[in-house]
Amino acid sequence: MARQKIVAGNWKMNGSSESIDQLVVGLNAAIDNAPVEVVVAPSFPYLAQVDNLLEKSPIKMAAQNVSEQGSGAFTGEVSISMLQDFAVDYVLVGHSERRSVYGETDQVIAEKTKALLASEITPVLCIGESLEQREKNITLDVCFSQIDAVLNLVGVNAFEQVVIAYEPVWAIGTGLSASAEQAQEVHKAIREHIAKSDEVVSEKVRIIYGGSVKASSSSELFTMPDIDGALVGGASLKVEEFIGIVKSAG
Ligand code: PGA
């Protein structure tokens, strides 16, 4: 069975109530029954607003982060059950900005993934190497060890319920996207790595690419056999660009 493509917009810490209104109204007008899954990830304060705006829309909603804790004295954190008060279908876990700026470890990321898997929310596990690591030729070692930290905690079967986002750190927000061939090479290696634990799961798991994806380059990415969609940052804040990416995936 073919894997359904996903195009997800990670809005990061951008937007206001007004700009988000315009963005979602624009997306709703352009996307009625897209053949791919379309997802947007607003900041926490706008989840309720976006939830309302998407009520009759096929577009799904993601949160950008979540706590691995259930509830209690964790000031500033947001729990899974809080997200479940809204139509949150996906949560980004381990985005490189969470890892590098906020010091999230592989262990915490694995625990967040585990907690999400116990709910009805799909984790989007973000992995990827830095420029230094790529230059040292350890791209695959880095990606595999980030995956293994989760795999060892949740088991390979759980990966049927996980979306992996391969996002080379050097390509995020830099305008310097990996070429379709570079991305395909890593995606294929990730799938083969999972196949070592379970071949069936490796064929089912969706692996999406992120890092300076634009409408002008996305169709080439989507022709690659192991690229199942995109996680889009900057370009997802512009209706035309994001729609262009969505259309090129379908
Ligand atoms: P970018 O961000 O498209 O702006 O490079 C991607 C991401 O961080 O998910």
Side-chain angles (χ1 to χ4, degrees), residues 8 10 12 92 95-97 126 167 171-175 210-214 231-236:
N10 173 13
K12 309 194 180 186
L92 308 186
H95 188 278
S96 81
E97 288 145 22
C126 305
E167 298 201 295
I172 296 177
T174 57
S212 296
V213 175
K214 295 179 220 71
L231 182 55
V232 186
S236 71

